[in-house]
Amino acid sequence: MLEKGSETKLTGMKGSRKVYVKSFGCQMNVYDSQRMADTLAPEGYVETATAEAADLVILNTCHIREKAAEKVYSELGRVRRLKEAAAGEGRNVLIAVAGCVAQAEGEEIIRRAPAVDLVVGSQNYHRLPALLAHAERHGKVVDTQFPVEDKFEALAPPSLSATRARGVTAFVTVQEGCDKFCTFCVVPYTRGAEVSRPVEKIVAEIERLADAGVREITLIGQNVNAYHGEGADGRNWPLARLLARAAKVPGIERLRYTTSHPLDMTDDLIATHRDLPRLMPQLHLPVQSGSDRILAAMNRRHTRADYMDAIARLKAARPDLALTSDFIVGFPGETEDDFAATLSLLGEVGYSGAFSFKYSPRPGTPGADMADQVAEEVKSERLQRLQKAIDRQQAAFNHRCLGRTLPVLFERKGRYSGQLVGRSPYLQPVQVEAPDAMLGRIAAVTITEIASNSLFGALAQTPAREPTFAAAGA
Ligand code: SF4
């Protein structure tokens, strides 16, 4: 274990090494992976797109999905073979495991996968250069303690060129950790207590991103609408006020935030959906179950009625709001009646899409020790029914966009020459024939065709304006 504050430097390798970061899981991990690469850039590490070419392979892991740890071990088997092949050529490849599986498994990772050189928890990756140097000189390192120093303060900012290469949309972490302790979730254990970044630091990061050409920012956090970071006035600002401040950064044309908890959908945040045109009309608001009995067992701290009340207030503020959610089926004790309640909630809300998963116990969480675990085949059958219902809702939502003219932010080139891919305000991918010069711009697009996972459209003559609630109908 490296001592806290140990300041070993990576030396003698400037400009000579390549790092490959593989990101598993949510947007928080995508953001963390980019920041890991940023932190290693001043040490001479250049990002590469393939593990084969890398001198350092980092697996930035996620513990939310089923069998997450097993998937990491299987990926480590592949990386170990690359390391062995490189050693045969006289090249030393370092392997690091970061993120939530690293946090949860710690030294067990090195015991089961001895080729791993470094295990670094989700709160410690700002110390990567020192940890890697230590691993090279003294052998394997495990660092999963929650640090006393501020990770974000210690991170190197991304270079302008790295930011440009990442495109016109970006995530910015504003809050980390969670104090809610849902009984199925590992986040409070792997990411720790809820911490909000100060407003000034967030705004400075958004300004840097805007200078590099970013047009859309998604503020992210495990419980982002519980945000309460310190503002320049010394007060704790809620997310609504942070969004209003972010909207003033020149060059930023679109804002989103994720992931939210229903209990933290405050009146001021809901009003922001009505009053801030740059806040896109799309919200991910996980409910997990439609049954009060299961919500209580999950320790969600809200009822079905609380959730529906939040939805009603949101829809009153912004009638065209597209809603998405997460659902867990087969939580311990879930009966057919409980599951029917989930299906009925889905029907009542009408989502533009949703993620749904079979419950799988996470070691160390209360749900894992609950009696009456639901049989695997029952979970699978319920999941199938739920996914079919979600697919129908998503298709219906997309079909309601057919013929509409929507502002689309062009993010990247499409698969075919002359084609660009962008996003509608409702976060749908839209494929359009358009010149490359339109990358990074918002243009009006008439939706002409619907495929299962994306829309097709044609550039329209009308000017591109983000829809207001008067344009409801999605
Ligand atoms: S609110 Fe979200 S992050 Fe927090 S414990 Fe519940 S599911 Fe996990």
Side-chain angles (χ1 to χ4, degrees), residues 129-395:
L131 294 168
L132 283 166
H134 191 276
E136 280 206 315
R137 289 188 188 146
H138 309 293
K140 302 180 187 306
V141 185
V142 176
D143 188 358
T144 53
Q145 286 181 358
F146 286 93
V148 284
E149 71 272 19
D150 180 346
K151 173 175 79 179
F152 292 104
E153 232 1 59
L155 283 169
S159 68
L160 203 62
S161 58
T163 308
R164 281 203 179 113
R166 286 170 192 160
V168 297
T169 62
F171 299 123
V172 173
T173 294
V174 302
Q175 175 277 337
E176 263 200 303
C178 185
D179 297 338
K180 297 275 192 304
F181 288 92
C182 299
T183 52
F184 55 81
C185 183
V186 288
V187 165
Y189 312 100
T190 57
R191 293 272 178 168
E194 222 176 272
V195 178
S196 294
R197 293 177 69 195
V199 172
E200 269 179 277
K201 306 281 179 197
I202 295 165
V203 171
E205 188 170 335
I206 295 174
E207 284 170 346
R208 266 200 312 275
L209 290 164
D211 286 347
V214 168
R215 295 290 162 259
E216 178 180 304
I217 296 285
T218 304
L219 305 181
I220 55 173
Q222 269 95 20
N223 198 170
V224 72
N225 57 344
Y227 176 82
H228 56 279
E230 190 183 347
D233 55 4
R235 290 167 182 267
N236 278 353
W237 285 27
L239 184 65
R241 200 166 165 198
L242 178 66
L243 283 162
R245 176 65 189 89
K248 290 189 180 135
V249 175
I252 297 303
E253 300 185 57
R254 289 181 162 191
L255 289 168
R256 304 179 189 274
Y257 62 92
T258 199
T259 292
S260 296
H261 190 282
L263 265 193
D264 296 312
M265 277 328 297
T266 52
D267 288 342
D268 60 340
L269 184 54
I270 289 173
T272 305
H273 281 275
R274 180 192 62 215
D275 300 334
L276 195 66
R278 293 206 161 125
L279 180 59
M280 290 297 96
Q282 188 273 332
L283 178 67
H284 186 64
L285 193 61
V287 64
Q288 311 298 358
S289 169
S291 154
D292 279 340
R293 220 174 57 78
I294 297 301
L295 287 172
M298 287 176 166
N299 191 34
R300 287 290 290 173
R301 308 176 189 207
H302 66 81
T303 61
R304 175 187 177 121
D306 295 331
Y307 184 82
M308 292 310 299
D309 177 60
I311 299 288
R313 289 183 295 133
L314 280 159
K315 287 278 189 177
R318 184 76 204 221
D320 70 331
L321 189 71
L323 288 153
T324 55
S325 183
D326 293 336
F327 291 95
I328 293 173
V329 299
F331 190 77
E334 185 188 77
T335 63
E336 188 55 33
D337 281 352
D338 294 317
F339 178 65
T342 297
L343 287 177
S344 85
L345 179 136
L346 186 88
E348 231 176 286
V349 175
Y351 293 98
S352 62
F355 299 104
S356 51
F357 311 96
K358 284 191 282 188
Y359 172 72
S360 70
R362 293 285 171 276
T365 59
D369 296 327
M370 286 181 184
D372 51 18
Q373 300 280 332
V374 175
E376 215 39 48
E377 58 274 20
V378 175
K379 288 189 216 173
S380 299
E381 189 274 332
R382 287 180 190 163
L383 183 67
Q384 261 191 17
R385 274 193 280 159
L386 180 63
Q387 284 180 339
K388 274 190 189 152
I390 291 168
D391 289 348
R392 278 196 300 273
Q393 289 200 343
Q394 183 172 352

